[in-house]
Amino acid sequence: MYLVVYLIHPFRRYIGRHMMDDLRFPLKDVTVKFWVVPLYAAGLPLITLLGFYYKRRDVYDLHHGVLGLLFTVITTGVLTEAIKNATGRPRPYFFWRCFPDGKDVYDAIGDVICHGTESLIRESYKSFPSGHTSWSFAGLGFLSLYLAGKIKAFDQRGHIAKLCVVLLPLLLASGVGITLVDDYWHHWVDVCAGAVLGLAVATTFYLQFFPPPYHNQGWGPYAYFRMLEQLHNTNGARVEPQREQIDAARNGSQMLDELEEGKR
C-alpha cells in the first residue's frame, strides 16, 4: 500500500514568480538520511520490546507491542505519503530543483515551467507534511508511551527521573524535525504537522493494545489481563465443585457419627 501511494504523482499546484522568494533556499544535503529513519524509529522501540521480554518473559507484551509498533509505522507512512500527494506543497529549495541552471521560466498565466530532472521535481512537491518527522514521532512516540506504562511514570509519586526517560525519545524526534528545517528541506509548518500526525497515530494504536500509561494496569497489554481473568474464572469454576463435594462429605460423615451415637 505504501509503495502504491509513493508512486502516485503529487498534485502540482500553481507556483508563480511572486512565490519564489520563499522557495529559493539553498539546496543542501539532508543531515538525517532517509534510510536512517527506520533504524531508530522502528529499531529502538523493537530493541526495547525485546529487552523487556528478556527480563519478564511476557509473550503477550512482546506480541502486542510489536503489532502496535508495526501498525503505527506503516499507517503513518501511508498517511504521510497520501497527504503529501494531495497537498503538493513545494519544498523550500523548489527553485533549484525546478530550474537547475537558475533560469526561471513561466507560462502565460505565470505558472512555472520546470526543466529539471522529473523525479527530483516530483519529490520537490512533497513538502507537507514532513515524512522524517511523522515517522520519528510515530515510532519514538510509541516507545515513549510504552516506557511510560512500563516504568509507571504517572503513578503520582513525583519521580522526575521517570518523566525524563519518557521524554527522551520525543526529544530525539524533535531534533530530527529541527534538522529538516535547518537543511531547508521542510517549512516549519511541515515539521509541526508531521509531529502531530505521528503522535496521533502512535497514541491511537498504542491504546488499541495497552491501557493508558496513567492507568493502574498501564504496565501490561489488555490481552495479558484478559488471560489472567479467564484463568481466574476457570480456576474458580473448578474450586466451587470441589468445595461442594467437601461440604457434602463432611455433612455425610457427621450424619453417620450421629446415627452411631443414637442421636438420630
Side-chain angles (χ1 to χ4, degrees), residues 190-220:
D190 308 333
V191 172
C192 291
V196 172
L197 175 62
L199 274 179
V201 176
T203 303
T204 300
F205 280 105
Y206 180 84
L207 295 179
Q208 289 294 314
F209 297 98
F210 295 87
Y214 55 82
H215 195 274
N216 291 333
Q217 296 179 341
W219 55 269

Side-chain angles (χ1 to χ4, degrees), residues 212-257:
Y214 55 82
H215 195 274
N216 291 333
Q217 296 179 341
W219 55 269
Y222 292 120
Y224 176 77
F225 297 107
R226 283 197 299 268
M227 180 271 296
L228 291 181
E229 183 178 359
Q230 293 174 358
L231 185 62
H232 175 75
N233 293 336
T234 302
N235 291 338
R238 292 177 179 175
V239 170
E240 289 301 326
Q242 292 178 357
R243 289 179 177 175
E244 294 177 357
Q245 294 174 3
I246 293 173
D247 293 340
R250 287 178 178 175
N251 293 334
S253 177
Q254 184 177 0
M255 291 175 60
L256 290 175
D257 292 340

Side-chain angles (χ1 to χ4, degrees), residues 44-84:
L44 288 179
L46 184 59
I47 292 174
T48 305
L49 290 169
L50 292 174
F52 276 100
Y53 173 75
Y54 179 79
K55 180 179 179 180
R56 297 182 54 205
R57 301 295 179 179
D58 185 355
V59 68
Y60 289 93
D61 184 80
L62 177 64
H63 175 68
H64 290 86
V66 172
L67 281 180
L69 176 63
L70 290 179
F71 279 126
T72 296
V73 174
I74 294 174
T75 303
T76 300
V78 173
L79 290 178
T80 300
E81 285 299 323
I83 298 174
K84 282 177 178 287

Side-chain angles (χ1 to χ4, degrees), residues 152-174:
K152 300 180 181 179
F154 304 105
D155 57 0
Q156 299 181 355
R157 295 185 179 181
H159 293 158
I160 303 301
K162 292 183 178 181
L163 193 60
C164 293
V165 173
V166 172
L167 294 178
L168 187 60
L170 299 179
L171 181 62
L172 176 59
S174 300

Side-chain angles (χ1 to χ4, degrees), residues 21 23 37 40 62 71 87 113-114 129-130 141 151 166 209 243 262:
D21 291 339
L23 305 176
V37 178
Y40 66 80
L62 177 64
F71 279 126
T87 56
I113 301 178
C114 296
S130 168
I151 65 178
V166 172
F209 297 98
R243 289 179 177 175

